[in-house]
Amino acid sequence: MSSRLLIDVHNHVYLPRYASLLRSRSNAPRILSRLAVSGGTEERLLILDHEPSGGRPVGPQYWDRSEKLKFMDLHGIDISIVSSANPWLDFLSASSAVDMAKSLNEDLEEYCQTSPTVSLSLKRLYGFGLLPLVPSVSSNSLVQIVDQISSLPHLKGVIMGTRGIGKGLDDEALNPMWEAIERKGLVIFLHPHYGVGKEEWGEKENGHVLPLALGFPMETTIAVTRLILAGVLDRYPNLRLLLAHSGGALPQLSSRLASCIHHDPVVASRLKHDARYYLGKLWFDAVAYGSEELEFVGKVVSRATRYKSASAPTETDVPQSNKLLFGTDYPFFPPLEAQNEKWRSVLDNLEAINGVESWTQDEKDNALYQNAIDLFGLNQSKA
Amino acid sequence: MSSRLLIDVHNHVYLPRYASLLRSRSNAPRILSRLAVSGGTEERLLILDHEPSGGRPVGPQYWDRSEKLKFMDLHGIDISIVSSANPWLDFLSASSAVDMAKSLNEDLEEYCQTSPTVSLSLKRLYGFGLLPLVPSVSSNSLVQIVDQISSLPHLKGVIMGTRGIGKGLDDEALNPMWEAIERKGLVIFLHPHYGVGKEEWGEKENGHVLPLALGFPMETTIAVTRLILAGVLDRYPNLRLLLAHSGGALPQLSSRLASCIHHDPVVASRLKHDARYYLGKLWFDAVAYGSEELEFVGKVVSRATRYKSASAPTETDVPQSNKLLFGTDYPFFPPLEAQNEKWRSVLDNLEAINGVESWTQDEKDNALYQNAIDLFGLNQSKA
């Protein structure tokens, strides 16, 4: 891969089949129609009950592929790895979730497979499939859907929330799923949905700021910490987890986590490595909106090998940017006032990569596209 | 101040009067006696109900000043700024809390005033006083206790939890308190107690790791974010807030916070500055257990002036280490096995400062002692 590209690994879609499902529902999550202030009707997306301002406006940017491609063209994005947005299938029964996962995975394969090409071997769209991660689903069903996704050439991974099949990602019932995902080499995009801390948001009206800015990344932080504490990364060392929003608070709390583990008799001897070692086994989207944040995540990745073992000699630090991948979080964070200009949220994330003082251009290129090519095997077509 | 020192700004005490109060209680928070495995009795501290392992062992390190001085000698700590440990006075009625705050503040003054000296003008112990921050307390009472603390020459600030008088730190009823604290120039040490996220800890037994490593810093993060969103730092720009545990997750989530504010119609126009600007107005203890974490906090402080205004020219970045201050969190995080060796938690925090690659020795000295001298005015004796 010699020419430079821009690849967006954090880009959401509500496939038409999914949007129809949400429209058919009478409680959250749902899409509802209401009278618009401007006259006519507008559709609103209510992801959780009691959302401020009656949910957020939704439109073709959520389901129309041509809108996505327009957005990509506007921002010079060559390739997007598209994932269903939360709440995924969480609200369905096990059998409905299995059926819907199969259909949506086929839909997404079609959506990507028929997308324009970047080059002879590359499409503009690839996807993360969906697993039926709901209570009472069987391990067999999960493994079957992993197999299905793996058989669809334009799906390169799965997007996953933090609750597993109800008890979280440290649930041993998920072991067959981890094993299957590891064996198939699929990337797991770990993404928040429920948030954390809402009992602490207080009485002031702050719009969506607290749940979005803090609750979301904290949810991811807790989920991946529980996964580490449960030994999942010891048992499945080749799992490839991509964390949304640059890993939330995990990088900044990782040395504290290591210290708390070391000082707690219940867990002090449980894991193979210091907690900081596991951060070097993770990937992080570069959706943090600031250069200093990205540089720091890079350093936390880079130092990880030092924590492989208390006794072994220090290994060489790995390059700092090789686990960070550009993302936009489209179609969220659009400009407050509709316009045909580039989105500030996208520019912020691009400038964050290009502004990391200590990175060479090669390191920036890693985050802009090369890491995505490597992680998703985009130079090794399955088709 | 020419000679080098080591100053610990995060060092807790249960004053004897407070320990007696906890012993007199029959529900949490309390100190209870129970039969020890080794025979005899042992005391356990139960801060919250349903704590794993029946609370933690407590002993003279919590209340005996000579134990604290021994700890300081062992680790080469010249001066500690001592604060009551949580849960402070949160469980008392308003009138009891006022009385207890007054008495404990006098006790702490005596505790510091009669401590050994470092030099002609410096004691080894200074303190953060307590405010009666409980529901139904009057603003007048809060202001009176601020005045009391300010009149006690060895008390340099107040330690404060995140709930204010019940509704959090964005409660407008606290305005007279902020005004008084700002006027008196006291430092506020903002410290977590309740944690956040316990509904997400899951079913696995992980000891205290999740609440301590994640719940505590997330609580601080939410509290200071709410304080910023409420405009407290716009109204009281000279407030001096020191955040426990290096500000928790706030530094890493600060650009995301700025972006979420910018994109939310409810708050987009509310504050005078970009959210990142306010981080430059805060102080951070250096209790993060890792060099990369401290360096990053330093960079987040340093970049803050760039975010003063969207229109004004970029100001010069401030030095990176001038808002970080060494701390130990004593008597928490003792070695798992009792010994007379130095504590790993202390060594980790010292090595974290000394190991920041991009800091000069002067910058390290700032974090080791000079920032504390400046922040607490230790070269300007009130006595």
Side-chain angles (χ1 to χ4, degrees), chain B residues 200-215:
Chain B
E200 296 297 331
W201 298 155
E203 296 179 1
K204 299 283 168 198
E205 175 55 82
N206 290 313
H208 290 267
V209 169
L210 291 167
L212 267 185
L214 306 184

Side-chain angles (χ1 to χ4, degrees), chain B residues 70-352:
Chain B
K70 253 193 269 179
F71 166 84
M72 290 167 63
D73 290 341
L74 179 64
H75 296 93
I77 296 167
D78 299 284
I79 298 172
S80 295
I81 320 287
V82 173
S83 50
S84 291
N86 51 306
W88 311 296
L89 308 173
D90 290 23
F91 51 92
L92 296 177
S93 69
S95 64
S96 303
V98 170
D99 292 344
M100 187 56 76
K102 278 184 194 159
S103 301
L104 288 171
N105 290 334
E106 284 167 11
D107 291 354
L108 186 59
E109 170 63 19
E110 164 88 4
Y111 180 99
C112 299
Q113 189 261 319
T114 59
S115 71
T117 55
V118 178
S119 67
L120 273 181
S121 63
L122 284 177
K123 293 285 180 183
R124 293 200 67 184
L125 298 172
Y126 293 89
F128 290 99
L130 275 175
L131 297 177
L133 284 162
V134 297
S136 304
V137 76
S138 72
S139 295
N140 265 354
S141 295
L142 290 172
V143 170
Q144 276 171 22
I145 305 287
V146 170
D147 288 345
Q148 179 214 15
I149 292 170
S150 167
S151 74
L152 296 170
H154 296 85
L155 301 194
K156 302 298 187 183
V158 297
I159 185 162
M160 190 181 286
T162 63
R163 296 220 170 155
I165 57 174
K167 294 185 176 179
L169 301 182
D170 51 11
D171 184 352
E172 279 152 29
L174 296 176
N175 284 344
M177 177 194 76
W178 301 124
E179 195 277 327
I181 292 174
E182 184 185 53
R183 182 164 32 84
K184 294 293 186 181
L186 294 173
V187 176
I188 298 163
F189 184 21
L190 187 63
H191 193 289
H193 165 55
Y194 294 96
V196 162
K198 57 179 161 291
E199 72 283 8
E200 296 297 331
W201 298 155
E203 296 179 1
K204 299 283 168 198
E205 175 55 82
N206 290 313
H208 290 267
V209 169
L210 291 167
L212 267 185
L214 306 184
F216 253 31
M218 289 174 177
E219 179 187 353
T220 309
T221 304
I222 294 171
V224 67
T225 300
R226 284 173 55 184
L227 184 128
I228 290 169
L229 282 170
V232 173
L233 297 181
D234 282 339
R235 286 199 297 284
Y236 307 101
N238 298 314
L239 272 187
R240 299 189 300 163
L241 280 141
L242 169 65
L243 304 186
H245 314 118
S246 301
L250 181 67
Q252 200 185 349
L253 301 180
S254 57
S255 289
R256 179 173 175 85
L257 175 62
S259 183
C260 287
I261 291 174
H262 176 81
H263 286 92
D264 198 296
V266 175
V267 291
S269 311
R270 185 191 294 172
L271 299 178
K272 286 189 184 167
H273 310 283
D274 181 288
R276 287 166 282 198
Y277 174 73
Y278 300 99
L279 274 76
K281 313 218 24 126
L282 303 170
W283 281 258
F284 301 84
D285 74 21
V287 182
Y289 307 93
S291 295
E292 289 76 12
E293 285 84 349
L294 297 185
E295 182 182 51
F296 170 61
V297 175
K299 290 200 175 189
V300 165
V301 166
S302 177
R303 76 177 178 191
T305 52
R306 279 187 252 156
Y307 297 101
K308 185 165 184 181
S309 142
S311 55
T314 299
E315 298 188 32
T316 312
D317 287 5
V318 297
Q320 295 192 8
S321 73
N322 77 341
K323 293 300 194 75
L324 279 153
L325 301 92
F326 172 71
T328 64
D329 218 343
Y330 177 87
F332 303 102
F333 301 98
L336 275 188
E337 318 215 337
Q339 48 195 350
N340 289 318
E341 290 169 17
K342 293 186 179 182
W343 292 19
R344 172 170 164 169
S345 57
V346 178
L347 296 180
D348 281 352
N349 279 317
L350 264 179
E351 284 167 17

Side-chain angles (χ1 to χ4, degrees), chain A residues 72-273:
Chain A
M72 290 168 63
D73 290 341
L74 179 65
H75 296 92
I77 296 168
D78 299 284
I79 298 173
S80 294
I81 321 287
V82 173
S83 49
S84 292
N86 51 306
W88 311 297
L89 309 173
D90 290 22
F91 51 91
L92 296 178
S93 68
S95 64
S96 303
V98 170
D99 292 344
M100 187 57 76
K102 278 184 196 160
S103 301
L104 288 171
N105 290 335
E106 284 167 11
D107 290 354
L108 186 58
E109 170 63 20
E110 164 89 6
Y111 180 99
C112 298
Q113 190 260 319
T114 58
S115 71
T117 55
V118 177
S119 67
L120 272 181
S121 63
L122 284 177
K123 293 285 179 184
R124 294 200 67 184
L125 299 173
Y126 293 89
F128 290 100
L130 274 175
L131 296 177
L133 284 162
V134 297
S136 306
V137 76
S138 71
S139 295
N140 265 355
S141 294
L142 290 173
V143 170
Q144 276 172 22
I145 306 287
V146 170
D147 287 346
Q148 180 214 12
I149 291 170
S150 167
S151 75
L152 297 170
H154 296 85
L155 301 196
K156 302 297 186 182
V158 297
I159 186 164
M160 189 180 287
T162 64
R163 297 220 169 154
I165 56 174
K167 293 182 176 180
L169 300 182
D170 51 10
D171 184 350
E172 280 152 29
L174 296 176
N175 283 344
M177 177 193 75
W178 301 126
E179 195 276 328
I181 292 174
E182 185 185 52
R183 182 163 35 82
K184 295 293 187 183
L186 294 174
V187 176
I188 299 163
F189 184 21
L190 187 63
H191 193 287
H193 165 55
Y194 294 95
V196 162
K198 55 180 163 291
E199 72 283 9
E200 298 296 331
W201 297 156
E203 297 178 1
K204 299 283 169 199
E205 176 55 83
N206 290 313
H208 289 267
V209 169
L210 292 167
L212 267 185
L214 306 184
F216 253 32
M218 288 175 177
E219 178 188 354
T220 309
T221 305
I222 294 172
V224 67
T225 300
R226 284 174 54 183
L227 184 126
I228 290 170
L229 281 170
V232 173
L233 297 180
D234 283 338
R235 286 200 297 284
Y236 307 102
N238 299 315
L239 272 187
R240 299 189 300 162
L241 280 141
L242 169 66
L243 304 186
H245 314 117
S246 301
L250 182 68
Q252 201 186 349
L253 301 180
S254 57
S255 290
R256 180 174 174 85
L257 174 62
S259 184
C260 287
I261 291 174
H262 176 81
H263 286 91
D264 197 297
V266 175
V267 291
S269 311
R270 185 191 293 171
L271 300 178
K272 286 189 184 166
H273 309 283

Side-chain angles (χ1 to χ4, degrees), chain A residues 213-374:
Chain A
L214 306 184
F216 253 32
M218 288 175 177
E219 178 188 354
T220 309
T221 305
I222 294 172
V224 67
T225 300
R226 284 174 54 183
L227 184 126
I228 290 170
L229 281 170
V232 173
L233 297 180
D234 283 338
R235 286 200 297 284
Y236 307 102
N238 299 315
L239 272 187
R240 299 189 300 162
L241 280 141
L242 169 66
L243 304 186
H245 314 117
S246 301
L250 182 68
Q252 201 186 349
L253 301 180
S254 57
S255 290
R256 180 174 174 85
L257 174 62
S259 184
C260 287
I261 291 174
H262 176 81
H263 286 91
D264 197 297
V266 175
V267 291
S269 311
R270 185 191 293 171
L271 300 178
K272 286 189 184 166
H273 309 283
D274 181 288
R276 287 165 282 198
Y277 174 73
Y278 300 100
L279 274 77
K281 314 223 15 132
L282 304 170
W283 281 257
F284 302 84
D285 74 22
V287 181
Y289 307 92
S291 295
E292 290 77 12
E293 286 84 350
L294 298 184
E295 181 182 51
F296 170 61
V297 175
K299 290 198 175 189
V300 164
V301 166
S302 177
R303 76 179 178 190
T305 53
R306 280 186 250 155
Y307 297 101
K308 184 165 186 182
S309 140
S311 55
T314 299
E315 299 187 32
T316 312
D317 287 5
V318 298
Q320 295 191 6
S321 73
N322 77 341
K323 293 299 194 76
L324 280 153
L325 301 92
F326 172 71
T328 63
D329 218 344
Y330 178 87
F332 303 101
F333 301 97
L336 275 188
E337 317 213 337
Q339 48 196 348
N340 288 318
E341 290 170 18
K342 292 186 180 183
W343 292 19
R344 173 171 164 169
S345 58
V346 177
L347 297 180
D348 280 351
N349 279 318
L350 265 180
E351 283 167 16
I353 292 172
N354 288 315
V356 176
E357 277 182 23
S358 63
W359 287 0
T360 62
Q361 186 59 49
D362 273 356
E363 289 178 301
K364 293 172 187 174
D365 286 346
N366 284 344
L368 293 169
Y369 66 97
Q370 189 61 52
N371 294 337
I373 288 174
D374 296 343

